[in-house]
Amino acid sequence: MSDAAQDMLQEARSLLEQAAGPEQVEEVRVRYLGRKGLVAGLLAEVPKLPPEERPAAGRAANQTKQAIARLVEEATERLAAAARPSGPRPDPTLPPIRPPRGHVHPVSRTMEEMLDIFRTLGFESVLGSEVETDWYNFEALNIPADHPARDDWDTYYISDKVLLRPHMSPAQIRVMEVRQPPLRIVVPGRCYRRDTEDARHFSMFHQLEGLMVGEGVNFGDLKAVLHIFLQRFFRAEMNVRFEPDFFPFTEPSAQVHCTCVACRAGRSGRSQGCQTCSYTGWLEILGCGMVDPNVFEAVGYDAERYTGFAFGMGIDRLAMLKHEIPDGRLLFQGDLRFLRQF
Ligand code: 2NL
């Protein structure tokens, strides 16, 4: 093969090896094998040579042409192979891969269940803000600045007069400010308290408060609503016990106890109790009372005409009792091995 033909083949080979796509291979093919390409130029030179050199030159030119054509084919095949997906082909008859599906958190579920029960008793649910002012958190609730009861709700302050709510009452005050009785509302949500965390105390927790205001609303109504609620929530017959207590915003106030849901001592004939009820047979389940007239005055209600009751209970605590969760911190640590059980 002539030097010129040799060089041409070498050059074409190196260009084809570097080709990164079919367009580049095609460019090389046109450059060498096209009608006006370099190989055609080589062949056109043959008749101009002395007669004895023509056969060899012609053979060299034709061999170069075939060699480059083969290289072009190889390069095309190499690029096609690289572009083909590797591994097994997808099977379109298989069911689709579904993204993992989450589910409702046990505290949210408990909250929904509670709201459902109160809804059947005529209570609508209302939401409020987690950041509230001193007025809604304390002043309107008959807790003046120097009152020792403030210590019970010591919480996180954002400024002198703005703080994270330590209970759900602010949302209820806001509803009373803009609506007249009769009123039946429940407000669920997150609250904050400065607390040392343990199995039953958290600096963030969920509470549900309720309020009923109207003419002639009395303590008997309060007892009936709470008794019905507890029996529906725990799906069991329950004894309830009201014990005098104190809250600045209710008078009289009571602490409500109910049959221990873990051992049902008292209702089952057993009387020993268990660890959950500290061997008393009773669970301290919520606080309540008749709304203090000072609260009605703060929101502009006629305290001579209207009476009402209010109550508050921990949603996390009810979820723990219902599902026998021994340590409430499990609810908020986000460990899916725990949460997937609900
Ligand atoms: C408890 C007790 C309670 C209330 C909350 C309330 C709200 C207004 C007016 C009067 Cl707007 N009272 N809320 C009343 C009694 C008890 O919660 O032990 N919570 C964990």
Side-chain angles (χ1 to χ4, degrees), residues 141 169 172-173 176 207 209 247 249-250 287-288 291 295 310-312:
L141 287 158
S169 309
Q172 313 210 76
I173 296 291
M176 286 194 279
Q207 220 198 13
E209 282 197 22
F247 298 111
F249 31 77
T250 45
C288 63
V291 179
V295 175
F311 55 86

Side-chain angles (χ1 to χ4, degrees), residues 263-266 268-275 277-282:
C263 64
R264 299 199 53 77
S268 64
R270 274 177 296 166
S271 56
Q272 287 304 302
C274 67
Q275 208 174 356
C277 59
S278 307
Y279 303 94
T280 63
W282 295 96

Side-chain angles (χ1 to χ4, degrees), residues 147-304:
H147 199 285
R150 281 217 182 186
D151 297 349
D152 295 344
W153 287 278
D154 210 359
T155 183
Y156 299 98
Y157 281 79
I158 286 156
S159 70
D160 259 10
K161 297 275 175 211
V162 180
L163 55 148
L164 294 182
R165 65 182 175 199
H167 46 200
M168 294 307 298
S169 309
Q172 313 210 76
I173 296 291
R174 285 181 182 278
V175 172
M176 286 194 279
E177 278 181 342
V178 297
R179 283 167 60 175
Q180 285 296 310
L183 206 64
R184 264 183 285 181
I185 55 170
V186 278
V187 292
R190 279 175 185 224
C191 308
Y192 301 86
R193 247 173 242 183
R194 195 184 54 79
D195 230 333
T196 306
E197 299 215 346
D198 63 27
R200 276 177 52 186
H201 297 88
F202 328 105
S203 45
M204 185 282 293
F205 56 100
H206 296 81
Q207 220 198 13
L208 180 130
E209 282 197 22
L211 176 73
M212 176 169 176
V213 186
E215 285 183 59
V217 175
N218 60 46
F219 206 93
D221 299 322
L222 170 60
K223 290 175 84 171
V225 164
L226 293 178
H227 195 180
I228 291 168
F229 167 76
L230 290 171
Q231 303 210 104
R232 296 227 184 122
F233 181 79
F234 288 113
R235 298 192 183 97
E237 295 287 320
M238 286 280 189
N239 288 342
V240 287
R241 190 176 85 177
F242 288 71
E243 185 175 279
D245 199 349
F246 173 80
F247 298 111
F249 31 77
T250 45
E251 182 61 33
S253 305
Q255 190 67 246
V256 182
H257 295 82
C258 69
T259 304
C260 176
V261 296
C263 64
R264 299 199 53 77
R267 284 207 69 103
S268 64
R270 274 177 296 166
S271 56
Q272 287 304 302
C274 67
Q275 208 174 356
T276 302
C277 59
S278 307
Y279 303 94
T280 63
W282 295 96
L283 291 174
E284 194 180 301
I285 199 91
L286 61 95
C288 63
M290 299 304 292
V291 179
D292 193 294
N294 286 345
V295 175
F296 284 152
E297 261 151 40
V299 298
Y301 279 8
D302 181 350
E304 292 295 324

